[in-house]
């Protein structure tokens, strides 16, 4: 049952769109787009409320839409909507979602189609009953499989990765849902953390490379699943362990937790950008705290690129930890030279170009008394197109900074991501087109330095060669852990 005005019509954006920044998640102009966030509960009478708080903790991973599907052993109750978690859910709709199992989802924002049909969890009917699916990631061979299924008579309403998975499950000759899901997962390639739900089961699966983070927790006798450990803290739960790459975890009334596998672990390649930018500072990935890793990046950046200056400041929020590390290593004072306005909300106006150029000032301000007359080291986590960096450097200069030295706590971002992060085409990535000196001039900085790849991996604390616990660094070095093609960017399961 659902109280949505529209029935689920799963749909996916059909290209790589990029926001002009006025409506972006952080108010800037060329930041990367988060993937999505998933949260699951098995065996708790307050499953819907726990999912609400869990998704709220994962809100940084997506602000476009939110949804929760609850199962009570016989029926589904689900609600999805556009906007933030607190805008989609309230006491009235949560009180109708009774059941002890739930899966939930927050979706990232793009400038593509923004409609309820894109919200997850998606709910499907097939011969075995109702099936709900929530996912974070991208199946980059979904288009190829879709063409094959259409040639065999399948009719698709959308271009969604998730619909491809649903068709594969529905067409399976396996009567058991777990066997059908395994069979479907073996057909797809890419980066994903899946939560599947039937009337009495919750099933979690992670891609064989472990590209997307996925963790399991406990709350009393209940089991929890989430994209990040910070969601467990929000509901009073505790981290239990990571969902291993290629693993399939099944929870049902008969067996409780059954640990299974649909694939052996392949080359381990968790996304390095989780440590650099996406994950919340209070989350841990593979027992490595994000804030601590980012501080080490800042320290390493200082070792690689010291510059004599008066203050260090970070671009809020993801660069604050690295800025603190840089300041501690150099002894240069850390100051809040840039302040983020957290209460501007969304604006849906179509501004003139002149107002668009001023848009960054609506979300970010320089503290004149801190930077005026000072040589400033500005720490940021990445440069994508360069437009944001230029505007922030100019913001600091307008506030009276005499010098602005830019330090980036990641290597140059040169290649698009095919694993669930919305990035521009390679030709729009400034580091793919310009030298570091040319970028420095383009962003009006007095000096510019990027953290080395070796320095990044050492800072995270888990080099690629150690214990098969490597990273995906394709956005920096063009070394993709799976086969990708030009069509790989067409779909993203989060939409």
């Amino acid at each position: 049952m659902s109280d949505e005005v529209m029935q689920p019509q799963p749909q996916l954006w059909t290209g790589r769109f990029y926001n002009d920044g006025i409506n972006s998640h952080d108010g800037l102009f060329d930041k990367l787009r988060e993937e999505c966030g998933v949260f699951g509960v098995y065996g708790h009478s307050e499953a819907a409320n726990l999912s609400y708080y869990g998704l709220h903790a994962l809100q940084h991973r997506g602000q476009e839409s939110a949804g929760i599907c609850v199962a009570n052993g016989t029926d589904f109750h689900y609600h999805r909507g556009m906007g933030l978690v607190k805008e989609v859910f309230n006491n009235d709709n949560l009180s109708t979602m009774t059941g002890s199992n739930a899966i939930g989802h927050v979706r990232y924002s793009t400038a593509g189609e923004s409609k309820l049909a894109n919200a997850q969890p998606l709910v499907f009917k097939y011969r075995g009953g109702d099936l709900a699916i929530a996912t974070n990631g991208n199946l980059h061979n979904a288009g190829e499989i879709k063409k094959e299924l259409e040639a065999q008579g399948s009719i698709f309403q959308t271009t969604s990765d998730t619909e491809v998975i649903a068709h594969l499950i529905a067409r399976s000759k396996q009567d058991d849902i777990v066997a059908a899901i395994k069979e479907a997962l073996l057909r797809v390639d890419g980066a994903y953390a899946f939560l599947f739900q039937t009337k009495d089961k919750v099933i979690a699966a992670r891609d064989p490379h472990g590209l997307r983070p996925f963790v399991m927790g406990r709350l009393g006798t209940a089991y929890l699943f989430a994209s990040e450990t910070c969601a467990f803290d929000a509901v009073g739960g505790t981290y239990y362990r990571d969902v291993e790459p290629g693993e399939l975890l099944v929870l049902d009334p008969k067996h409780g937790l059954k640990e299974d596998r649909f694939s052996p672990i392949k080359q381990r390649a968790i996304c390095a950008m989780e440590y650099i930018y996406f994950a919340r500072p209070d989350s841990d990935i593979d027992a490595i705290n994000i804030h601590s890793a980012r501080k080490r990046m800042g320290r390493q950046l200082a070792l690689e690129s010291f510059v004599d200056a008066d203050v260090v400041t970070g671009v809020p929020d993801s660069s604050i930890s690295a800025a603190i590390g840089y300041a501690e290593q150099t002894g240069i004072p850390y100051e809040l030279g840039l302040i983020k306005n957290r209460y501007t909300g969304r604006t849906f106006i179509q501004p003139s170009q002149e107002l668009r150029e001023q848009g960054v000032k609506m979300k970010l301000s320089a503290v004149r008394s801190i930077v005026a007359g000072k040589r400033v080291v500005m720490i940021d986590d990445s440069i994508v197109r360069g437009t944001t960096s230029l505007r922030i450097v100019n913001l600091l200069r307008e506030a009276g900074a005499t010098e602005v030295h830019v330090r980036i706590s990641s290597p140059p971002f040169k290649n698009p991501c095919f694993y669930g992060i919305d990035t521009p085409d390679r030709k729009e990535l400034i580091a793919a087109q310009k030298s570091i000196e040319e970028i420095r001039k383009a962003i009006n900085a007095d000096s510019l330095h990027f953290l080395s790849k070796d320095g990044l991996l050492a800072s995270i604390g888990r080099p690629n060669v150690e214990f098969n616990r490597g990273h995906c660094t394709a956005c920096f070095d063009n070394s993709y852990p799976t086969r990708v093609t030009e069509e790989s960017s067409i779909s993203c399961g989060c939409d």
Side-chain angles (χ1 to χ4, degrees), residues 384-461:
V384 182
R385 290 180 170 175
T387 52
T388 296
S389 298
L390 172 62
R391 289 181 171 90
I392 299 175
V393 168
N394 287 341
L395 200 65
L396 290 168
R397 292 193 186 282
E398 290 168 10
T402 58
E403 297 176 11
V404 181
H405 301 275
V406 176
R407 296 294 181 268
I408 306 298
S409 58
S410 67
F413 200 106
K414 297 181 178 181
N415 309 291
C417 177
F418 301 112
Y419 302 120
I421 301 174
D422 189 16
T423 57
D425 293 332
R426 185 176 280 105
K427 65 179 181 295
E428 297 179 77
L429 296 169
I430 192 170
Q433 307 300 321
K434 295 180 182 294
S435 67
I436 292 177
E437 174 59 17
E438 289 171 334
I439 298 172
R440 181 197 68 76
K441 292 178 180 178
I443 66 173
N444 195 27
D446 289 283
S447 69
L448 170 65
H449 189 91
F450 292 84
L451 182 62
S452 67
K453 178 183 167 183
D454 287 345
L456 168 67
L457 296 177
S459 300
I460 292 173

Side-chain angles (χ1 to χ4, degrees), residues 27 85 140 142 144 176 209 226 234 301 304 313 338 358 361 364 418 429 437 457 488:
V85 174
H140 55 69
E144 178 183 320
D176 176 62
H209 294 278
L301 190 57
E304 295 181 5
T313 193
L338 293 164
Q358 298 296 318
K361 294 182 179 179
L364 202 62
F418 301 112
L429 296 169
E437 174 59 17
L457 296 177
S488 296

Side-chain angles (χ1 to χ4, degrees), residues 169-469:
I169 293 171
R171 291 174 65 90
S172 172
K173 292 182 170 53
Q174 304 284 347
D175 292 327
D176 176 62
I177 183 63
V178 175
I181 288 175
K182 284 185 181 180
E183 188 177 276
L185 292 173
L186 288 172
R187 291 290 315 278
V188 300
D189 198 6
Y192 52 81
F194 269 114
L195 281 173
F196 302 91
Q197 182 175 248
T198 68
K199 65 180 181 180
D200 63 352
K201 291 182 175 66
V202 171
I203 301 167
R206 188 180 184 191
D207 73 82
H209 294 278
L211 280 150
R212 297 270 72 84
F214 203 19
V215 288
M216 178 167 63
R218 298 299 304 270
L219 179 59
T221 59
Y223 288 88
L224 308 173
F225 294 94
S227 294
E228 293 183 36
T229 59
C230 64
F232 300 152
D233 298 329
V235 301
T238 56
Y239 167 80
Y240 184 62
R241 69 174 180 86
D242 280 29
V243 179
E244 290 297 315
E247 190 171 33
L248 191 80
L249 299 177
V250 183
L251 287 147
D252 62 30
K254 183 178 180 180
H255 302 99
L257 172 64
K258 182 180 179 182
E259 299 174 335
D260 202 350
R261 181 165 287 282
F262 67 91
S263 168
I265 297 177
K266 297 183 180 178
Q267 175 195 347
R268 187 68 184 271
I270 191 166
C271 174
M273 288 303 297
E274 291 286 351
Y275 291 93
I276 297 165
Y277 174 60
F278 288 119
R280 241 173 62 166
D282 54 334
S283 287
D284 296 342
I285 296 179
D286 263 2
I288 296 173
N289 174 253
I290 298 300
H291 168 69
S292 298
R294 289 176 184 165
K295 278 188 67 177
R296 291 192 293 270
M297 292 174 203
R299 286 182 172 276
Q300 181 63 31
L301 190 57
L303 292 172
E304 295 181 5
S305 59
F306 173 80
V307 62
D308 193 17
D310 302 306
V311 297
V312 175
T313 193
V315 178
D317 286 313
S318 57
S319 304
I320 299 300
S321 300
I324 293 172
Y326 190 99
E328 288 180 353
Q329 182 64 40
T330 60
I332 302 171
Y334 167 77
E335 295 282 0
L336 288 176
L338 293 164
I339 300 295
K340 182 178 178 181
N341 184 352
R342 304 178 189 282
Y343 305 102
T344 55
R346 301 175 179 182
T347 173
F348 295 95
I349 64 171
Q350 296 298 319
S352 65
Q353 182 61 31
E354 181 180 358
L355 289 177
R356 192 186 308 274
E357 292 295 324
Q358 298 296 318
V360 69
K361 294 182 179 179
M362 185 175 70
K363 298 287 181 81
L364 202 62
S365 301
V367 184
R368 184 175 296 274
S369 62
I370 296 297
V371 303
K374 304 288 181 59
R375 299 166 298 171
V376 178
V377 180
M378 184 192 92
I379 309 294
D380 205 353
D381 51 69
S382 59
I383 296 180
V384 182
R385 290 180 170 175
T387 52
T388 296
S389 298
L390 172 62
R391 289 181 171 90
I392 299 175
V393 168
N394 287 341
L395 200 65
L396 290 168
R397 292 193 186 282
E398 290 168 10
T402 58
E403 297 176 11
V404 181
H405 301 275
V406 176
R407 296 294 181 268
I408 306 298
S409 58
S410 67
F413 200 106
K414 297 181 178 181
N415 309 291
C417 177
F418 301 112
Y419 302 120
I421 301 174
D422 189 16
T423 57
D425 293 332
R426 185 176 280 105
K427 65 179 181 295
E428 297 179 77
L429 296 169
I430 192 170
Q433 307 300 321
K434 295 180 182 294
S435 67
I436 292 177
E437 174 59 17
E438 289 171 334
I439 298 172
R440 181 197 68 76
K441 292 178 180 178
I443 66 173
N444 195 27
D446 289 283
S447 69
L448 170 65
H449 189 91
F450 292 84
L451 182 62
S452 67
K453 178 183 167 183
D454 287 345
L456 168 67
L457 296 177
S459 300
I460 292 173
R462 193 187 60 190
N464 279 337
V465 297
E466 184 180 348
F467 306 121
N468 194 30
R469 293 180 175 275

Side-chain angles (χ1 to χ4, degrees), residues 131-145:
L131 176 67
I133 307 176
T135 183
N136 165 26
N138 179 36
L139 308 179
H140 55 69
N141 67 338
E144 178 183 320
I145 296 174

